[in-house]
């Protein structure tokens, strides 16, 4: 880290900072500019809190130099990480499509959707049995019976299941039913949950918080990775901004930025990132064009009757059209849509 | 809720919306403007998802009319709620000061701080035994030994203890040591935790998420209140914006807005909302001037050595000065600083 | 507009609002819900200020129903607007590429770039002779000599010229040299400038302000359109958010949203919206995949020597690669890249 | 500035950066960390664009060290700047109150307001003759006849006049009538206007743009100051965030931050920063408590009839109450409310 001194800092103040650096087992390296002195603190700075320096006289600000994540970084692992998701691999050239309802509502709703998205070309089934809802009065999900329905849908369609887990104590239960644990946007910095998901050694789909920076997303992944669990998928799902004509603002920049900073697979959720079914396909195409490794799309057989997120769900026939569009875009960027190995 | 039709909507489309409203046990009320028709859906709209209407032909958008929170609203409870916090009451005219270190680091650090803030005039002690940290490599708190130190500090000083709980399964443990459970900004929408804290029937200090709207904060409070737990304190602690010269942007507007919308006590955390000790006092004064019922302030005997948030912690002597300033401001707005009943 | 009353509003208060509505030559239409009364104000509400109602007793809030823009709306003009830009048309199926340096720096720099982008397939040349700079100490552009160089570049390459105008009194001058007047993001709500550009009857490329909503962008276009000038191109160029890893956040949602709300052509500027050349191509592809009618791209023969925005400028050879990629994406969405009619 | 190299940067890449630094007449100073090399570029870096370095191989990012403003900084001028505003001084201990209608609407409306705010204790009169409006169909101000009415109000009340100027070519006209030129939020980066206002040598009240960082506000002030005009008042008026329950989010932190970074007077506009009259007084008190040198408040004799911003305007009697409250707060922070020298 670099400690930037005020222009008015005295020799004594500089010396005190140097001493403070050195008592933390770091080496100090002075750079005297025309206006200011900058002190580099060299060594493993992780035990030192940057902000501590703000109480030393003459210090203007502290600039971090190292990136705070290690295991998630491309520097740690230059090649793309990939891992199998049942019959396909995520993180390789072919893009992967995960689709299904926001919430598991009933056996018929789930199975109808599962078959429809399977037929349209999806590689995995999404669906929530536990639903984080802004209101305590809204439908909160079916709980374990919902997980059982997901297992049945997997059996019938061969699609691996992605489903959300909302509390650390539920991880052992959800792991028994899910192929991939989803950690939702609101829980991206729920550290107890990140630790539990990491310790489960189960694949994790980690959604970016709606006001999390890209660096914070990578730090959240680092919590999982530091438990020895290397199977993490990152998901951009829109951030919160001042714009109100869509539910969130899709941070499409995050796709190439993440692909540059990390080796982890990166997918896009165009349903939450727009909040309106009319815009889902356009933004889904944009995601693949920008380099995303896959999509997470909400599909419902009758969105007007959906118990949550109906406004942003596609009908199965529209999802099928989207798959066709995604194939064309994938080819345009030199990729393909994954072909699912048949379940024998 | 109101369903606003497109200017191009046909008679049939309007009729279909009316029918959809009525099949959900709501009454439809038509208002034909010069350009558009607006359909009011009257009755208990909570089981209906607003977004479902977006799939009906001719619908432009849906506007909520009722506020989604009930128990937290001033309409439900017109008078200010207040409750005892050991020797003082929070939510009444005298303002309440909660102070202490960001994290419990050691026995001496905590006890020294507790005595200092007690002497300066604080009414409660804050301090984290479990710390949510962006990095898995940062100090994560002392855990239960930290809770034990807090209990000891309470015994020595008579100050009730406010401390954070980060996971639902820790609620029973933390309740044994804490007078008030703190739910941190990153967990404001951790619904499992909100339920557990609500069910504990213990007082809860709920911090606004850095990405949460005022309405979402009230909805999070509603989760706690709907468990029958009425002792909830709301805390504005800064929101995330584009401005980078401070750690967060203090939403000072939130103070009068919350006081208008809810009967719950509202306090301000000027430490997190600025992130820099130099600005803490100015913003603390502003909070009381704007009508806050109290302050939550980070104080550390040696901020340069703090294991977290050192940059925003006040030294005890500065906190004492702040108390003097707060007294003057409280008087200027016709209030006072609470006088703590002596522990007999 | 709809006036939503408080749950506590009395009959008298409702009656007073109705009277206030009627004295403004609007009709009042009451809708009594279970909790609240909502009053619709029907008629031409434009002369009435919504906020005036906030001073009437019992009023909770006012909800606008009509869209505030008329001429820019798809309801006013259901078909896509298009107009010629020298040898091509903007706003039709073939997408249009506008490229060139951020600033005109010298004759050789401009001519080299103009020829290079022409050869790579660009349809128009961009380049600033007047530069809005955050710092008064930065290069502010060459002024009129820069305009002369742009005219020379047009003569040599046949590319129409897009260049920024920063003040109303400069419009007559810039119109003499430019084929399209650019209004920059910082001036999107410079109403004197919008009026002057509108009155010029010259084509205008209007960039979205970095903190302007989509509705405000359309209202700014309305200023130009209401001067009788129908040749307006809208440009998404990134908005300001909390994310700092890129210069701005590309609001890719804005592309389909704008295409849905307005008939005006919509283009994307991936250079400003990312701020880093490494991400420009990915986001440019995303823009076309999402439905944009064109791109505005910064190209510089030697970005290391650029006097402004060097970090986000592409070298000519990279721009040529981008054109190839854009062709593939355009085909994937059923469009093409415009073919420029030869200048005879 | 500091150039931070990638961890993978080679010796040759470092050498190329050093050479690039030196060819720009800067000195290069190397600091080799355990992971990365950091290169300090020492000397007057203003002619060099930071972003140019992003095209050099091996460069990770560039960190600015010097502040980009000079004349506005406290380092340039350690003592508070102040200057007379007719009978009072702005920028000294006594706080100054500027009040009046959003727009000049008629002779009676303006004179009634002017006398009322004078009586209540205001020191200057605000009122817009030229109004920046989002919609071209809204009232745009009376223009020069409005300026004449302001002059008449000044004559009758002795209050100096603060009024907005929206275009450079109007500066000479507005200067003839106004004591202080106001530059509105939307024009904060209208550089032609900043230059014209600076060149006029007339006092300028510069409002922060709703999207502008504190640093950008200071850079806008620098445009005025660099024209030799030292009489600049900075005004925080709320920034745009995701929160929608108020019109803007008052950045109360900006008050102490600005007082720390600059010597210029800093005032707060609680009317625009909240957008709702019910919250104006609370936020006005907060501003003075946080250290603002004054307030800019909208007052209208009949807000229900206001042609603009009625929702956020105070009635004269409420403004009088606010003045009483401000006096109490000013005293609580060791200041006073200015006493206006009588016009003889």
């Amino acid at each position: 880290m670099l400690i930037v001194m005020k222009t008015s800092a005295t020799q004594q103040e500089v010396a005190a900072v140097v001493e403070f650096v050195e008592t933390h087992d770091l080496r100090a390296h002075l750079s005297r500019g025309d206006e200011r002195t900058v002190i580099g603190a060299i060594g493993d700075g992780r035990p030192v809190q940057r902000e501590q320096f703000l109480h030393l006289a003459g210090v203007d600000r502290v600039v971090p130099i190292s990136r705070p994540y290690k295991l998630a970084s491309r520097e740690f692992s230059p090649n793309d990480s990939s891992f199998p998701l049942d019959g396909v691999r995520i993180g390789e050239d072919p893009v992967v499509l995960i689709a299904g309802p926001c919430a598991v509502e009933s056996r018929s709703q789930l199975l109808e959707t599962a078959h429809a998205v399977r037929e349209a070309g999806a590689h995995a089934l999404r669906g929530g049995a536990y639903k984080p809802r802004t209101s305590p009065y809204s439908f909160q999900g079916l709980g374990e019976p919902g997980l059982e329905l997901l297992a049945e849908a997997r059996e019938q369609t061969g699609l691996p299941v992605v489903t959300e887990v909302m509390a650390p104590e539920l991880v052992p239960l959800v792991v028994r039913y899910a192929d991939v644990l989803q950690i939702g946007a609101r829980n991206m910095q729920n550290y107890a949950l990140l630790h539990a998901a990491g310790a489960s050694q189960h694949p994790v789909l980690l959604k970016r918080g709606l006001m999390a920076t890209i660096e914070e997303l990578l730090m959240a992944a680092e919590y999982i990775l530091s438990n020895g669990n290397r199977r993490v998928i990152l998901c951009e799902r829109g951030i919160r901004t001042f714009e109100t004509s869509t539910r969130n603002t899709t941070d499409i920049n995050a796709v190439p930025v993440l692909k540059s900073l990390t080796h982890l697979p990166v997918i896009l959720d165009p349903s939450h990132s727009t909040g309106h079914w009319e815009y889902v396909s356009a933004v889904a195409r944009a995601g693949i064009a920008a380099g995303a490794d896959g999509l997470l799309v909400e599909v419902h057989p009758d969105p007007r009757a959906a118990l949550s997120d109906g406004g942003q769900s596609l009908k199965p026939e529209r999802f099928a059209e989207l798959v066709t569009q995604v194939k064309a875009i994938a080819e345009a960027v030199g990729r393909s849509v994954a072909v699912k190995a048949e379940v024998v």
Side-chain angles (χ1 to χ4, degrees), chain A residues 83 85-101 113-127 157-162 180 182 205 233 235 265-271 280-281 283-289 291-299 314 316 318-331 335-340:
Chain A
F83 54 85
L85 210 61
D86 214 332
V88 296
R89 290 186 71 85
I90 179 101
E92 304 206 338
D93 255 14
V95 302
V96 168
L97 305 175
I98 308 170
T113 314
H115 284 286
V117 301
R118 170 72 164 120
E119 201 150 313
H123 309 98
L125 177 67
R126 61 149 292 151
T157 60
L159 294 176
V161 162
V162 179
V180 180
Q182 181 176 311
L205 190 161
I233 304 165
C235 181
V266 175
I267 68 172
L268 180 77
D269 171 352
S271 306
V280 166
S281 295
V283 171
R285 294 191 307 261
I288 300 302
D293 298 311
L295 296 171
L296 182 69
V297 184
E298 291 192 349
V299 178
L314 296 185
R318 283 192 178 274
F319 176 68
E321 286 167 28
L322 175 58
V323 175
T324 307
Q325 295 173 12
V326 165
K327 277 182 185 155
I329 298 282
E331 275 165 37
R335 301 177 75 163
S336 61
V337 170
V339 177
K340 197 156 161 40

Side-chain angles (χ1 to χ4, degrees), chain A residues 240-314:
Chain A
R240 182 164 274 181
T241 69
F242 63 85
E243 177 58 58
T244 55
S245 67
T246 47
R247 182 174 178 178
N248 292 292
T249 296
T250 312
D251 183 3
I252 196 77
N253 294 357
V255 175
V257 171
L258 282 168
K259 294 301 290 179
S260 151
L261 295 176
T262 184
H263 52 90
L264 297 171
V266 175
I267 68 172
L268 180 77
D269 171 352
S271 306
H272 284 87
S273 77
T274 61
H276 201 300
W277 64 271
E278 276 190 275
Y279 308 132
V280 166
S281 295
V283 171
R285 294 191 307 261
I288 300 302
D293 298 311
L295 296 171
L296 182 69
V297 184
E298 291 192 349
V299 178
H300 195 285
D302 182 6
R304 294 174 312 169
L307 297 183
S308 71
D309 282 354
Q312 69 197 32
S313 295
L314 296 185

Side-chain angles (χ1 to χ4, degrees), chain A residues 20 26 35 50 70 78 93 97-98 121-122 127 141 147 177 192 242 251 292 328 336:
Chain A
F20 192 77
L26 297 167
E35 286 186 350
R50 266 199 296 140
K70 306 272 158 182
D93 255 14
L97 305 175
I98 308 170
L147 295 174
Y177 294 96
F242 63 85
D251 183 3
S336 61

Side-chain angles (χ1 to χ4, degrees), chain A residues 104-160:
Chain A
V104 180
E105 296 169 5
S106 70
R107 185 166 181 275
S108 63
Q109 171 250 16
L110 184 66
L111 294 180
E112 185 181 343
T113 314
H115 284 286
V117 301
R118 170 72 164 120
E119 201 150 313
H123 309 98
L125 177 67
R126 61 149 292 151
Y130 298 92
K131 297 301 307 168
R133 302 303 298 274
T134 308
S135 168
Y137 310 120
S138 297
F139 173 63
Q140 310 271 322
L142 295 179
E144 189 166 0
L147 295 174
E148 286 164 4
L149 293 174
L150 285 164
E152 185 181 349
R154 178 178 45 200
E155 221 163 290
Q156 288 197 13
T157 60
L159 294 176

